[in-house]
Amino acid sequence: MRIKLFSVIALTSLLAFSPAQANIPFFSDKDETPTLAPMLEEVTPAVVNISVKGSREVRQRVPDMFRFFFGPNSPREQVQERPFRGLGSGVIIDADKGYVVTNNHVIDGASEILVTLKDGTQFDAEVIGTDANSDIALLKIKDGENLTEIEIGKSSDLRVGDFVVAIGNPFGLGQTVTSGIVSALGRSGLGIEEIENFIQTDAAINSGNSGGALVTLKGKLIGINTAILGPNGGNIGIGFAIPSDMMQALVQQLIEFGEVRRGVLGVRGNDLTADIAEALNLDAKQGAFIAEVLPDSAAAEAGLQSGDVIIAVNGEKVRSFADLSARVKTMGVGKPVRLTVLRDGDKTDFEVTLSAEEAAVEAATLHPALEGATLAANEDGGVLITELLEGSMAARYGLREDDIIMAVNRQAVNSVSELRNVLDSARGVVALNIRRGDSSLYLVLRGG
């Protein structure tokens, strides 16, 4: 009953528009029955099914009773290679070059990738580049013929309430089309990906839709379907798509470099709240409030200050600090960016050239007790342990992967270079303040 009611409401709403003025093909040629078929006939050939094969490492803990028989030096884990198969979706964005965009998790670990067009034609594909942090991957169809590409729209033009259509390959059924609206914009903090700035939609998205297209009623691509919230992986009307603007910025780098060379602005802060706006006497409701500008950063060189509020990037409105962070992280190193800032009630534009993201380093070069750990700057403060070798010196001291070093001997550190400087000046025992999940602890190192 609810489905029928939604259909009636949706069609009534659609009929309220003027198809001639909006240039949207709501009606068929033969009669005036509401339909999206003409638009879909143009768009769906650009949406493909992706099937993959490969093998992945599976780690299993060895029970203590078995380790007793094989001796204390026997491994704690067994590592096995197990074959896997997977299904997903993709979107052709360049027919001449055979470029297909999909999600990184669709093709992660795959040794064979097969792309199937709507008409059943199949082609092998190879990976051009991936970005796990944003869950984007770019493929190239080998020896592709008669390919159809999709027109890419501007996700920044979307509004909550706009009608959208999701196209993909749910549960391996084959190409399927569902419809809905934009439920929210700039969704973040979901813990799905490291970089989140999702379009939320109630168009039905299910397993296998990953990498598929979210399009407007004019057939323009405005999102790559990537995730859902729902029990047991089922659809409950809460789906998420990576905005097309973000996707394009990443794909351009993957084409040029084969990887994403992430830019860094060098600020910390939070969302502009009503309380902050009132305290600073600002005529704004949304934006990114800068609490701290890191020294020697791109923001510092451009003249940004703590207390500034960034309200637009390249003329496009900033909704939150997470929105700002996601946009910056998808732009390349050295990219010029125009930031519109509120300072003391006045609006000013700043030209900023993004600096390079600090590369991960082997921690043994900083302190012998950190041998076996790999470190990188953490966007929210501190220094992140990105990798940790089992049985290494750092592991024996009690460090874990994903720990964040917040301070050394009570001195805050927010980059690998800051950590190096503090450790170089430390003498004797070194106390690390660690953030682990929601808890905080101290670990003591020796041997510096």
Side-chain angles (χ1 to χ4, degrees):
M1 191 66 181
R2 289 181 181 176
I3 296 176
K4 293 180 180 179
L5 180 60
F6 172 78
S7 299
V8 172
I9 294 174
L11 290 177
T12 302
S13 301
L14 291 175
L15 287 169
F17 291 97
S18 169
Q21 293 176 352
N23 193 28
I24 300 173
F26 288 135
F27 303 96
S28 66
D29 294 331
K30 296 181 180 179
D31 55 36
E32 294 190 349
T33 303
T35 179
L36 293 175
M39 179 272 286
L40 291 171
E41 287 168 358
E42 297 291 328
V43 171
T44 51
V47 182
V48 301
N49 297 341
I50 297 176
S51 57
V52 300
K53 296 180 183 178
S55 60
R56 289 177 179 151
E57 282 189 357
V58 177
R59 296 178 177 271
Q60 290 183 322
R61 183 175 177 81
V62 178
D64 290 339
M65 59 179 296
F66 289 106
R67 294 187 68 243
F68 174 79
F69 287 112
F70 292 104
N73 295 324
S74 61
R76 294 179 179 272
E77 291 183 327
Q78 285 185 335
V79 180
Q80 296 179 332
E81 289 281 339
R82 291 188 179 177
F84 74 92
R85 294 173 180 264
L87 295 172
S89 308
V91 186
I92 300 174
I93 60 169
D94 190 321
D96 292 334
K97 297 180 179 178
Y99 287 149
V100 176
V101 173
T102 186
N103 286 143
N104 176 67
H105 75 258
V106 170
I107 55 88
D108 186 30
S111 56
E112 297 181 36
I113 303 174
L114 188 66
V115 171
T116 303
L117 306 185
K118 181 184 178 182
D119 63 7
T121 307
Q122 294 185 326
F123 300 99
D124 290 326
E126 60 183 355
V127 177
I128 298 298
T130 65
D131 183 41
N133 291 339
S134 61
D135 201 17
I136 283 291
L138 179 66
L139 311 179
K140 180 179 176 62
I141 293 175
K142 298 178 181 178
D143 302 321
E145 296 179 351
N146 300 320
L147 303 179
T148 300
E149 66 186 50
I150 198 165
E151 183 180 355
I152 301 176
K154 290 191 64 177
S155 56
S156 57
D157 291 339
L158 283 176
R159 299 174 300 169
V160 173
D162 285 348
F163 285 97
V164 289
V165 176
I167 311 170
N169 178 30
F171 303 110
L173 291 173
Q175 193 173 92
T176 301
V177 177
T178 57
S179 65
I181 63 169
V182 173
S183 305
L185 295 166
R187 284 293 194 220
S188 62
L190 305 172
I192 299 172
E193 307 296 344
E194 181 177 323
I195 302 174
E196 298 182 340
N197 190 27
F198 294 123
I199 301 165
Q200 181 181 326
T201 179
D202 65 351
I205 297 174
N206 290 285
S207 178
N209 271 109
S210 291
L214 188 70
V215 304
T216 66
L217 295 184
K218 291 184 179 181
K220 294 184 178 181
L221 178 72
I222 45 84
I224 301 295
N225 301 324
T226 190
I228 60 172
L229 287 183
N232 304 316
N235 172 64
I236 59 170
I238 303 178
F240 301 99
I242 299 167
S244 59
D245 294 352
M246 180 172 164
M247 177 274 292
Q248 276 193 295
L250 293 166
V251 164
Q252 287 171 2
Q253 294 183 63
L254 294 176
I255 292 172
E256 186 174 357
F257 308 116
E259 63 180 0
V260 173
R261 298 181 178 179
R262 219 173 298 286
V264 175
L265 181 58
V267 298
R268 293 196 180 88
N270 45 41
D271 298 348
L272 176 65
T273 63
D275 291 339
I276 295 175
E278 182 179 357
L280 298 178
N281 194 27
L282 297 177
D283 184 20
K285 296 181 179 179
Q286 292 182 320
F289 174 73
I290 299 177
E292 180 185 4
V293 176
L294 300 182
D296 302 321
S297 65
E301 291 181 6
L304 293 177
Q305 301 174 2
S306 58
D308 287 346
V309 177
I310 300 175
I311 59 173
V313 174
N314 293 334
E316 295 176 359
K317 182 172 66 175
V318 170
R319 298 181 177 86
S320 64
F321 195 85
D323 182 14
L324 171 68
S325 179
R327 293 196 204 185
V328 169
K329 285 183 175 180
T330 56
M331 296 177 181
V333 175
K335 293 289 185 181
V337 180
R338 179 167 53 87
L339 301 179
T340 303
V341 172
L342 286 179
R343 178 184 293 174
D344 300 326
D346 297 326
K347 189 183 298 185
T348 308
D349 284 345
F350 289 83
E351 296 294 331
V352 182
T353 301
L354 299 179
S355 55
E357 186 175 48
E358 191 170 18
V361 300
E362 296 295 331
T365 63
L366 280 67
H367 194 284
L370 295 176
E371 177 270 326
T374 303
L375 306 175
N378 186 51
E379 180 69 20
D380 296 324
V383 177
L384 176 68
I385 298 179
T386 58
E387 295 180 36
L388 187 68
L389 295 178
E390 184 179 353
S392 64
M393 182 71 74
R396 292 199 293 271
Y397 269 106
L399 289 168
R400 298 180 185 174
E401 191 170 314
D402 295 330
D403 278 354
I404 301 173
I405 303 173
M406 302 300 298
V408 178
N409 294 347
R410 297 187 180 276
Q411 184 172 343
V413 292
N414 291 302
S415 67
V416 175
S417 58
E418 287 184 10
L419 177 60
R420 185 190 301 275
N421 292 336
V422 175
L423 289 174
D424 285 345
S425 61
R427 294 292 182 267
V429 174
V430 175
L432 303 182
N433 179 207
I434 303 294
R435 190 173 76 205
R436 181 175 293 165
D438 296 328
S439 62
S440 178
L441 64 147
Y442 275 91
L443 294 178
V444 177
L445 308 181
R446 292 178 175 82

